[in-house]
């Protein structure tokens, strides 16, 4: 039996009363968000998406995934930010990268401008059957546009223009943008990013679902998980809403001068989930020269790098630990006659048990050292819980950003570097 996502605030110094003081404010935000869906206002489409998702597009995703599984060894995913991180987070979390049979390998480009990175991939795919999915809501992001120009050319050389057309899939907004125009002109197969869903809230749309489905991930279960979360976290009463409690707790800690949140897990497969979470909160909340700085750690790896700072550095940090209670597999540590490594005291124990004790010991050490810890518990890591977690954090981010008094759905600051880069590249001459 799955218990869903459970939040534990006992290591935060935050009382139930502290949380409930936000009840009215949260109710107000909750109602405003729900009203904005009714009014079809910008960027809140993701709130009801798990239940109202486009069923036709969904079937199309499955068909494309099936075709790619039959004719490709490599699936090249072109995208950056919200048009890439969600898919990668789920794929890395749920697939075994060392098991190659019956699987399509996903490679990611368009998430940087580095020629070495791209050349290595060009080299690697030269003798492989490939398909490509370019994902860009705006259809004009420089990184993904450059990668698409390079890989479209490569595919046309390899398969001919008509052959390439059958292997190139475009995910972009309906009816506008450069990518949309290319798709129409070249008659590429197209999937749509809903207009009212912003990039970093779009992982459950074709943006994330096609790459996931190609790897064999059961997207029905992902959606089911998100649907259950949509229902659960639409509870307006803060007392009964774990997601809203998380949003409030991080704001209380922020008021207590904790302006850096370190999101950590003891599951290395969640590395890209942390990256997705960082982008979700960073782009949503870092505005008006305020906001919690989101960063991440994978333990126990990072106990041997950032651990020292967290234990004894500046006391402006708090941690949010995602505790996945049950491990999918395990290893029992053997007994050694000689015991030269002095490990016999844990002989017979499961490695997951040792990992858990490391977690408990670390939480205690960090809390004793003045670092509040929010613990988010899930029973297992699977399609359903990942669907739940995605929705949980998206909703928490919207509520948290609204408590902070910023618009969690825009990203005006991202334009600044682009203006400078375009000027330096002579775009306007
Ligand atoms: O969350 C966001 O909106 C951004 O991170 C975008 O996803 C990112 O900039 C890529 O944009 P686009 O999908 O338009 O290429």
């Amino acid at each position: 039996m799955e218990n869903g996502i459970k939040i534990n605030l006992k290591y935060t110094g935050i009382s139930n009363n502290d949380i409930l003081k936000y009840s009215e404010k949260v109710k107000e935000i909750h109602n405003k968000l729900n009203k904005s869906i009714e009014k079809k206002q910008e960027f809140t489409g993701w709130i009801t998406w798990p239940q109202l998702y486009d069923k036709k597009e969904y079937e199309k995703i499955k068909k494309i995934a099936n075709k790619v599984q039959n004719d490709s060894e490599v699936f090249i995913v072109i995208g950056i930010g919200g048009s890439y991180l969600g898919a990668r987070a789920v794929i890395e979390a749920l697939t075994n990268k060392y098991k190659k049979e019956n699987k399509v390998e996903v490679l990611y480009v368009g998430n940087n401008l580095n020629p070495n990175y791209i050349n290595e991939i060009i080299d690697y795919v030269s003798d492989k059957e490939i398909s490509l999915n370019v994902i860009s809501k705006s259809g004009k992001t420089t990184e993904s546009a450059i990668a698409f120009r390079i890989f479209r050319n490569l595919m046309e050389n390899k398969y001919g223009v008509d052959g390439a057309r059958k292997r190139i899939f475009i995910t972009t907004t309906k009816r506008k943008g450069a990518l949309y125009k290319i798709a129409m002109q070249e008659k590429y197969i197209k999937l749509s990013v809903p207009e009212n869903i912003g990039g970093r809230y779009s992982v459950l749309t074709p943006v994330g679902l096609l790459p996931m489905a190609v790897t064999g991930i059961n997207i029905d279960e992902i959606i089911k998980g998100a649907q259950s979360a949509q229902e659960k976290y639409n509870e307006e009463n803060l007392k009964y809403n774990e997601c809203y409690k998380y949003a409030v707790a991080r704001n209380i800690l922020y008021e207590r001068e904790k302006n850096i949140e370190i999101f950590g897990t003891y599951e290395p497969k969640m590395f890209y989930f942390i990256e997705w979470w960082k982008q979700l909160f960073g782009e949503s909340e870092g505005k008006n020269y305020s906001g919690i700085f989101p960063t991440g750690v994978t333990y126990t790896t990072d106990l041997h790098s950032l651990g020292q700072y967290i234990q004894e550095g500046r006391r402006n940090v708090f941690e949010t630990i995602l505790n996945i209670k049950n491990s999918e597999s395990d290893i029992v540590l053997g007994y050694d006659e000689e015991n030269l490594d002095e490990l016999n005291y844990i002989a017979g124990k499961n490695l997951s048990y040792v990992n858990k004790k490391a977690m408990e010991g670390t939480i205690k050490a960090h809390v004793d050292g003045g670092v509040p810890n929010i613990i988010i518990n899930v029973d297992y890591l699977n399609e359903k819980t990942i669907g739940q977690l995605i929705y949980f954090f998206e909703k928490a981010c919207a509520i948290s950003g609204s408590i902070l008094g910023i618009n969690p759905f825009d990203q005006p600051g991202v334009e600044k570097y682009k203006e400078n880069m375009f000027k330096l590249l002579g775009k306007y001459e």
Side-chain angles (χ1 to χ4, degrees):
M1 239 281 280
E2 265 181 39
N3 295 311
I5 301 166
K6 291 270 174 261
I7 180 168
N8 176 353
L9 297 177
K10 78 173 179 202
Y11 304 111
T12 57
I14 298 171
S15 69
N16 219 11
N17 269 347
D18 295 333
I19 295 278
L20 294 182
K21 277 183 197 146
Y22 280 76
S23 292
E24 278 314 304
K25 189 165 196 163
V26 165
K27 200 186 265 181
E28 208 178 287
I29 295 167
H30 168 93
N31 289 330
K32 208 172 145 201
L33 274 180
N34 280 354
K35 278 222 176 71
S36 80
I37 315 167
E38 285 163 25
K39 285 193 206 148
K40 292 206 176 346
Q41 274 174 354
E42 260 189 326
F43 301 137
T44 46
W46 57 271
I47 297 177
T48 48
W49 181 259
Q51 271 157 15
L52 303 181
Y53 68 91
D54 186 331
K55 314 287 181 298
K56 247 168 117 184
E57 289 271 298
Y58 193 74
E59 288 315 310
K60 199 165 157 190
I61 290 170
K62 287 187 169 174
K63 259 198 193 143
I64 298 173
N66 207 15
K67 176 189 176 294
V68 173
Q69 283 166 348
N70 285 325
D71 69 9
S72 306
E73 296 165 275
V74 171
F75 191 56
I76 298 169
V77 172
I78 298 178
I80 193 164
S83 283
Y84 135 82
L85 280 166
R88 187 163 196 178
V90 176
I91 291 169
E92 304 253 339
L94 298 180
T95 60
N96 179 342
K97 64 177 166 212
Y98 303 109
K99 256 195 191 162
K100 296 273 186 249
E101 66 286 355
N102 304 329
K103 288 251 178 76
V104 184
E105 186 178 7
V106 178
L107 299 178
Y108 305 90
V109 287
N111 56 72
N112 63 65
L113 291 168
N114 188 290
N116 300 324
Y117 180 94
I118 296 175
N119 273 328
E120 281 184 13
I121 291 183
I122 291 176
D123 213 38
Y124 179 71
V125 301
S126 66
D127 60 348
K128 299 195 170 54
E129 299 300 337
I130 53 180
S131 289
L132 179 156
N133 180 203
V134 53
I135 310 164
S136 175
K137 184 178 176 190
S138 64
K140 58 174 194 185
T141 300
T142 312
E143 287 88 341
S144 36
I146 289 176
F148 185 43
R149 188 180 274 209
I150 295 168
F151 280 89
R152 184 178 155 199
N153 189 32
L154 179 148
M155 289 187 68
E156 288 180 350
N157 287 338
K158 189 176 173 110
Y159 296 109
V161 174
D162 280 342
R165 188 170 289 130
K166 296 192 185 95
R167 291 171 173 270
I168 292 178
F169 307 97
I170 309 262
T171 309
T172 192
T173 322
K174 272 183 198 152
R175 287 184 282 279
K176 64 175 189 217
L179 198 51
Y180 176 78
K181 274 191 217 144
I182 299 175
M184 293 313 281
Q185 188 177 305
E186 299 297 323
K187 299 194 171 47
Y188 290 134
I189 297 170
K190 219 175 53 63
L191 289 164
S192 297
V193 189
E195 197 65 61
N196 60 352
I197 300 184
R200 57 192 175 275
Y201 293 84
S202 71
V203 48
L204 299 170
T205 74
V207 167
L209 293 182
L210 177 60
M212 289 179 213
V214 162
T215 65
I217 286 173
N218 184 340
I219 57 172
D220 291 347
E221 286 296 302
I222 302 258
I223 292 290
K224 266 191 213 155
Q227 282 169 345
S228 68
Q230 181 189 327
E231 212 174 292
K232 204 165 184 174
Y233 304 126
N234 194 30
E235 166 62 62
E236 66 168 18
N237 191 339
L238 178 56
K239 199 169 165 186
Y240 305 114
N241 193 324
E242 304 274 295
C243 168
Y244 291 4
K245 277 187 194 166
Y246 169 58
V248 168
R250 55 198 300 285
N251 272 280
I252 293 175
L253 293 171
Y254 182 57
E255 277 177 8
R256 295 180 185 174
E257 312 287 316
K258 306 289 183 189
N259 58 7
I260 296 176
E261 178 176 12
I262 304 167
F263 184 51
T265 78
Y266 285 72
E267 170 54 84
K269 284 164 90 83
M270 292 297 269
F271 180 87
Y272 272 95
F273 193 85
I274 296 173
E275 292 300 300
W276 170 80
W277 174 93
K278 271 160 60 178
Q279 194 240 351
L280 175 65
F281 280 89
E283 259 190 19
S284 297
E285 290 194 328
K287 285 159 199 167
N288 294 346
Y289 305 102
S290 67
I292 299 167
F293 182 78
T295 184
V297 286
T298 304
Y299 288 150
T300 61
T301 312
D302 287 326
L303 289 174
H304 300 259
S305 92
L306 291 178
Q308 172 59 38
Y309 190 99
I310 296 167
Q311 190 66 52
E312 295 181 344
R314 269 194 73 188
R315 301 296 72 191
N316 61 342
V317 299
F318 69 96
E319 288 179 292
T320 295
I321 300 299
L322 178 63
N323 174 29
I324 300 158
K325 287 188 174 168
N326 300 291
S327 175
E328 196 196 335
S329 71
D330 226 324
I331 298 173
V332 182
L333 286 179
Y335 180 83
D336 187 276
E337 278 303 329
E338 290 190 273
N339 196 28
L340 290 177
D341 54 13
E342 299 174 8
L343 282 178
N344 274 353
Y345 74 103
I346 44 171
K349 296 271 191 294
N350 287 333
L351 199 49
S352 66
Y353 172 84
V354 179
N355 203 19
K356 214 51 41 164
K357 294 298 145 192
M359 181 185 83
E360 289 166 15
T362 306
I363 291 171
K364 183 167 175 8
H366 289 181
V367 172
D368 289 349
V371 177
N373 267 234
I374 298 173
I375 315 295
I376 295 178
N377 293 302
V378 285
D379 287 333
Y380 300 95
L381 180 58
N382 58 32
E383 273 93 341
K384 205 156 171 206
T385 54
I386 279 275
Q388 288 170 344
L389 284 168
I390 287 170
Y391 194 88
F392 177 95
F393 285 117
E394 286 179 350
K395 192 81 188 274
C397 184
I399 298 287
S400 176
S402 304
I403 295 174
L404 206 61
I406 50 84
N407 174 359
F409 307 123
D410 64 1
Q411 58 282 335
V414 179
E415 295 309 311
K416 298 275 186 276
Y417 96 90
K418 291 184 194 165
E419 280 164 30
N420 291 344
M421 177 178 76
F422 292 148
K423 235 184 246 165
L424 290 166
L425 289 169
K427 184 173 178 178
Y428 309 115
E429 279 160 19

